[in-house]
Amino acid sequence: MPSKTCNVVVLLSGSGSNLQALIDSIHAEHGSARIRAVISNRPDAFGLQRAKAAGIDTAVLEHGGFDGREAFDAALMQLIDGFAPDLVVLAGFMRILSGAFVRHYQGRLLNIHPSLLPKYKGLHTHQRALDAGDAEHGCSVHFVTEELDGGPLVVQATMRRAWHNGSTNRNTRSTRWRCAGSPKDACAWANKVHYWMASRWRPAIT
């Protein structure tokens, strides 16, 4: 039986802009999803400060102290499972995960990827979209499988690129801002994911 509240553990390595979008969406809608904890492999990740400001438990597990990927992933699984998550969300977690990790959370592991999959799997997605002259770009949330960025899609948020006069670098910065920081557009994926989680975990009415 699904729990009344969808407990979510978020993994991140950086600024936590995606985390903040999800925090804001859940707070605004008072939904049945709850971010139980935020875990980072980097102690200086600003996302940890965002979590603490929101009253969310945080933990740091630095990968440098482990003898290989499998050892780190095993310790990470133990840490995550201590929070009893219904979902684990990769929100800018800059680690390649082992097959054992992916299988352990099969059907419960989501990734936020900065492109409209199946386009632009992997890295440097914003620049690749610019180089291709794409009129639309966006973000995808998908289940994680052992295929890189190849799992089933949950939701996508699409936005149009705003052209500016200037260098390629300037355009790249503008596009990145719109994907990760716009008060209107950047939270679109978070709202969709929040509603999806709330729908999936909403208790049956008897």
Side-chain angles (χ1 to χ4, degrees):
M1 289 287 294
S3 61
K4 289 183 64 176
T5 300
C6 176
N7 287 320
V8 181
V9 170
V10 176
L11 307 185
L12 55 78
S13 299
S15 69
S17 57
N18 285 324
L19 168 68
Q20 190 64 57
L22 190 54
I23 290 172
D24 293 344
S25 177
I26 291 173
H27 178 75
E29 299 297 332
H30 306 287
S32 58
R34 176 181 68 161
I35 301 177
R36 182 66 184 82
V38 173
I39 300 172
S40 180
N41 62 319
R42 294 178 57 91
D44 60 346
F46 185 68
L48 294 171
Q49 297 183 41
R50 295 180 188 268
K52 291 175 183 177
I56 300 169
D57 290 341
T58 63
V60 175
L61 189 67
E62 296 186 67
H63 57 271
F66 292 87
D67 185 18
R69 190 182 314 281
E70 288 73 17
F72 172 76
D73 283 3
L76 182 58
M77 284 188 283
Q78 185 176 16
L79 178 59
I80 293 170
D81 289 348
F83 295 103
D86 296 303
L87 287 175
V88 178
V89 176
L90 308 177
F93 188 59
M94 304 305 292
R95 293 280 302 170
I96 297 175
L97 300 169
S98 65
F101 186 98
V102 173
R103 290 189 295 272
H104 182 72
Y105 295 107
Q106 184 174 4
R108 296 187 291 149
L109 184 61
L110 297 177
N111 181 48
I112 301 164
H113 183 75
S115 80
L116 296 174
L117 291 172
K119 298 182 77 172
Y120 310 128
K121 297 180 180 182
L123 301 175
H124 311 302
T125 60
H126 303 313
Q127 187 61 52
R128 289 157 68 190
L130 285 167
D131 291 345
D134 291 353
E136 291 186 335
H137 191 38
C139 299
S140 303
V141 179
H142 66 94
F143 283 104
V144 177
T145 65
E146 293 186 63
E147 178 187 354
L148 176 66
D149 298 327
L153 288 171
V154 175
V155 294
Q156 289 183 315
T158 303
M159 58 206 74
R160 296 189 64 83
R161 178 172 58 177
W163 291 94
H164 296 277
N165 294 325
S167 68
T168 301
N169 288 337
R170 183 181 177 186
N171 285 336
T172 301
R173 287 198 300 272
S174 174
T175 302
R176 182 175 296 112
W177 183 86
R178 290 178 180 275
C179 288
S182 165
K184 180 179 178 181
D185 293 334
C187 292
W189 71 265
N191 291 329
K192 290 182 179 181
V193 171
H194 171 219
Y195 291 134
W196 176 82
M197 291 188 296
S199 174
R200 180 175 179 179
W201 265 267
R202 183 178 296 119
I205 298 174
T206 58

